[in-house]
Amino acid sequence: MRTLAITQNITVDGSIEMITDWFDPKGQASADMSDVLEESHRQDSRADALLVGRRTFEDFRSYWPLQTDDTSGITDYLNGVQKYVVSTSLTDPRWENSTVLRGDPVTEVNELKMRDGGQDIVLAGSITLAHSLIEAGLVDEYRLFVHPVVQGRGRRLFPDGYEVPRLRLLESKAFRSGIVLQRYAPAGR
């Protein structure tokens, strides 16, 4: 069975919703993000599928394919990776290597995990979809890029009232920018 990993940028206070400007997708702020980008590429090399909800997909599609001067490699990766978008309303994804999953998200993603491929399926953004998959117990790993920011508001990674009995720390890695990668798996996996 393939690994389903949720990869999120998250604030110290647990928000993944980007209400303020704490996250720069191309890492062009004044901080040295080269080591974060290197880690991102390392993770990308182990994934052959990107899973997103419709809103995140539309946000990505309206931005990344249009980048012609992107030296980060993110545009090339996103254009090339197989993308799965969970949506009941999207008919034509209009982005290469994109497949719309129209059925029940839990069933569709469980079937995707069972398919051959061997590499990771990575869910990025997509808060509503993430909540559904977390509640269904389908998530095998959480990859949290914790930004040294307190936003004070915004939607959280875990649904309100949902409890994960115990997570096992797989890795903790600090970067020059102050961002810390924390990788967890549910205990027992």
Side-chain angles (χ1 to χ4, degrees):
M1 183 181 297
R2 297 167 71 186
T3 295
L4 173 60
I6 290 182
T7 299
Q8 293 288 5
N9 291 288
I10 189 167
T11 62
V12 170
D13 61 333
S15 178
I16 59 173
E17 186 174 14
M18 295 173 200
I19 296 170
T20 60
D21 63 356
W22 60 269
F23 174 73
D24 177 10
K26 286 174 71 175
Q28 295 177 331
S30 59
D32 179 2
M33 298 288 285
S34 60
D35 52 350
V36 175
L37 189 56
E38 184 179 311
E39 174 61 27
S40 180
H41 289 313
R42 186 185 70 77
Q43 290 183 22
D44 291 346
S45 73
R46 296 178 178 162
D48 63 0
L50 175 68
L51 177 66
V52 290
R54 181 191 52 80
R55 282 179 284 201
T56 299
F57 178 80
E58 289 175 343
D59 287 347
F60 280 19
R61 183 185 65 194
S62 70
Y63 180 80
W64 287 109
L66 306 176
Q67 302 308 299
T68 57
D69 61 348
D70 176 26
T71 59
S72 70
I74 297 171
T75 298
D76 290 341
Y77 174 74
L78 289 175
N79 283 335
V81 72
Q82 179 61 51
K83 293 167 285 295
Y84 294 94
V85 55
V86 174
S87 175
T88 57
S89 60
L90 187 67
T91 54
D92 180 4
R94 296 187 335 260
W95 192 6
E96 61 190 323
N97 303 316
S98 298
T99 302
V100 178
L101 303 176
R102 291 182 173 79
D104 171 66
V106 171
T107 303
E108 292 275 12
V109 173
N110 196 43
E111 289 174 5
L112 188 60
K113 287 181 66 171
M114 298 292 190
R115 289 185 197 163
D116 289 336
Q119 291 190 296
D120 296 347
I121 302 164
V122 175
L123 181 143
S126 310
I127 299 170
T128 302
L129 178 58
H131 286 180
S132 294
L133 300 178
I134 290 167
E135 289 176 327
L138 291 180
V139 179
D140 302 298
E141 187 176 326
Y142 299 95
R143 299 172 183 167
L144 310 178
F145 286 89
V146 183
H147 291 248
V149 173
V150 174
Q151 184 170 251
R153 63 191 189 283
R155 293 173 69 192
R156 309 284 186 224
L157 174 59
F158 295 97
D160 284 344
Y162 184 78
E163 191 176 317
V164 178
R166 183 122 179 103
L167 294 173
R168 179 172 48 95
L169 181 65
L170 302 174
E171 178 183 19
S172 183
K173 183 181 203 177
F175 299 101
R176 288 185 291 273
S177 61
I179 294 171
V180 176
L181 169 64
Q182 295 179 354
R183 289 181 47 229
Y184 293 97
R189 285 197 187 176

